[in-house]
Amino acid sequence: MRILSGIQPSGKLHLGNYFGMMRPAIELQEEGEAFYFIADLHALTTVRDPTALREYSRELAIDFLACGLDPSRACFFRQSDVPAVTELAWILSTVTPMGLLERCHSYKDKTSRGFAASHGLFAYPVLMAADILLYESDLVPVGRDQKQHLEVTRDIAIKINELYGEVFKLPEPSIRGDAATVPGLDGAKMSKSYGNTIEIFEDEKTLRKKIMGIQTDSTPVEAPKPTDDSTILGLYKLVASPGEYASMAEAFRVGGTGYGDFKKALFAAAWRHFGPMREKREAILADPAFVDAVLREGAAKANTIAEKVMARVRKAVGLAG
Ligand code: ADP
Ligand code: TRP
């Protein structure tokens, strides 16, 4: 089974990225042949500062390795190191109905939040389909917000297969229920574009400050607190043990504890949870050549597979004999 996922280097890694995509992807690297990449071509649709893009790409690579991506199991590479993906995206775009892209939420979301309504942003799901189909992926671990892009990928693959014979296999999304949507500081979906993120490698002081700033309602200390949709509980569930989570949920129900105390417990659990990864990150930071070597080897392997698939695609559509 081949597993593939990508993540855009468009900011620092936050709890939503980690629990929604990165941790499931890392766990899946044990289950099959994994391909994970830094989606820098996708990030170009929103990041306009070249220095920032380079930095985000590098940091994301370091963070992914610190969080447990094992380069001896998973092929790890930068999207732009495999040029065939843009060629495939073009071929796919020639069969992609406009209506399919017009229905995509992410384009509407991003343009309504002020990003330039560029062709790249509109065609973003086609490039994503190319990522997935180029490596003949079976399973794609992503957060819930990416489900529609997987549907678009399948539709495009079906269209190509109808026109040209069995060129592609159809991928399946893998969306974990427990962390499908990680809440942000204001209770909405945690997202860089909402400015409500908690970064996983935040320094101690900033992490504490952010967690203490989580928005809460005005229930008095002595009263029971609503557990449904509580951001504090939602995040605590991800970083604390099941026993700790059960005790906090009980304390919410009985009342007598203020939100400030719950936040302190959340901070302690979050800091502890990412401790081993912080240590690993320090070690990787001290050895820059390691990251370069991993990405170089990943690109070489990814290109080999991509070229094989592209030879088949070019032949199927009539670009090669
Ligand atoms: P952002 O919304 O911060 O820009 P991205 O769109 O770059 O994040 O998401 C990268 C990956 O992280 C995707 O697989 C996405 O589904 C996942 N992800 C992002 N935010 C969350 C969240 N709040 N909950 C669950 N998964 C998330
Ligand atoms: N669109 C994804 C995101 O914003 C990133 C991505 C690009 C991706 N290509 C992919 C994810 C292929 C899975 C498979 O998070």
Side-chain angles (χ1 to χ4, degrees):
M1 181 177 62
R2 194 165 284 168
I3 303 143
L4 170 133
S5 196
I7 181 161
Q8 290 192 67
S10 49
K12 288 185 186 290
L13 188 67
H14 59 68
L15 291 175
N17 304 142
Y18 176 73
F19 287 106
M21 179 272 182
M22 203 176 264
R23 190 174 69 171
I26 287 167
E27 284 171 7
L28 277 171
Q29 73 188 352
E30 316 286 326
E31 309 292 320
E33 203 189 348
F35 284 75
Y36 297 139
F37 64 93
I38 311 282
D40 52 357
L41 294 172
H42 275 110
L44 267 183
T45 58
T46 54
V47 183
R48 298 281 183 234
D49 174 350
T51 309
L53 184 58
R54 261 187 295 272
E55 246 170 53
Y56 290 153
S57 293
R58 177 112 200 134
E59 279 190 16
L60 192 55
I62 294 168
D63 291 354
F64 220 139
L65 291 163
C67 289
L69 183 142
D70 176 357
S72 70
R73 285 182 186 275
C75 174
F76 187 39
F77 60 101
R78 253 187 319 246
Q79 185 184 31
S80 61
D81 282 339
V82 186
V85 77
T86 55
E87 181 187 356
L88 181 59
W90 175 256
I91 295 171
L92 300 181
S93 78
T94 62
V95 307
T96 305
M98 289 294 283
L100 191 62
L101 300 181
E102 274 159 4
R103 281 197 294 277
C104 287
H105 309 304
S106 69
Y107 177 75
K108 288 181 245 175
D109 272 11
K110 285 188 177 151
T111 49
S112 72
R113 278 190 265 119
F115 288 111
S118 66
H119 170 259
L121 200 57
F122 186 70
Y124 180 111
V126 183
L127 181 59
M128 181 156 163
D131 289 323
I132 296 169
L133 301 174
L134 186 57
Y135 303 100
E136 308 187 288
S137 318
D138 299 293
L139 202 65
V140 184
V142 282
R144 182 163 291 155
D145 57 344
Q146 296 295 316
K147 188 165 177 266
Q148 191 181 39
H149 291 154
L150 263 293
E151 285 158 12
V152 169
T153 302
R154 287 172 62 95
D155 284 352
I156 296 175
I158 290 169
K159 190 95 185 174
I160 291 270
N161 289 351
E162 275 169 11
L163 286 164
Y164 299 112
E166 286 303 298
V167 181
F168 293 122
K169 58 172 148 177
L170 302 186
E172 295 285 343
S174 161
I175 297 165
R176 290 250 304 244
D178 53 351
T181 306
V182 176
L185 295 172
D186 55 358
K189 182 202 132 170
M190 186 178 289
S191 171
K192 287 174 284 252
S193 14
Y194 301 155
N196 63 356
T197 56
I198 301 175
E199 279 75 47
I200 79 167
F201 293 121
E202 204 97 74
D203 66 66
E204 192 170 356
K205 207 170 137 210
T206 317
L207 183 71
R208 183 181 286 113
K209 201 167 154 221
K210 279 201 167 179
I211 289 180
M212 295 314 288
I214 289 175
Q215 286 177 26
T216 46
D217 58 34
S218 51
T219 314
V221 173
E222 60 282 1
K225 316 270 176 311
T227 53
D228 287 354
D229 300 323
S230 157
T231 307
I232 299 176
L233 271 179
L235 295 176
Y236 198 60
K237 192 169 193 173
L238 296 169
V239 295
S241 70
E244 287 169 325
Y245 171 74
S247 326
M248 187 185 278
E250 183 54 21
F252 262 65
R253 280 188 286 269
V254 299
T257 312
Y259 282 123
D261 287 333
F262 290 134
K263 289 178 187 173
K264 280 185 196 149
L266 173 60
F267 163 73
W271 185 252
R272 186 190 64 203
H273 188 90
F274 293 106
M277 292 168 232
R278 268 194 307 274
E279 270 176 34
K280 191 144 179 225
R281 188 165 181 273
E282 290 304 317
I284 297 170
L285 280 171
D287 184 8
F290 168 70
V291 182
D292 293 336
V294 166
L295 293 175
R296 202 169 43 242
E297 282 163 32
K301 182 172 175 196
N303 270 298
T304 307
I305 291 170
E307 273 315 314
K308 220 177 82 207
V309 175
M310 277 316 289
R312 197 174 74 218
V313 175
R314 288 183 198 118
K315 196 165 167 208
V317 302
L319 292 173

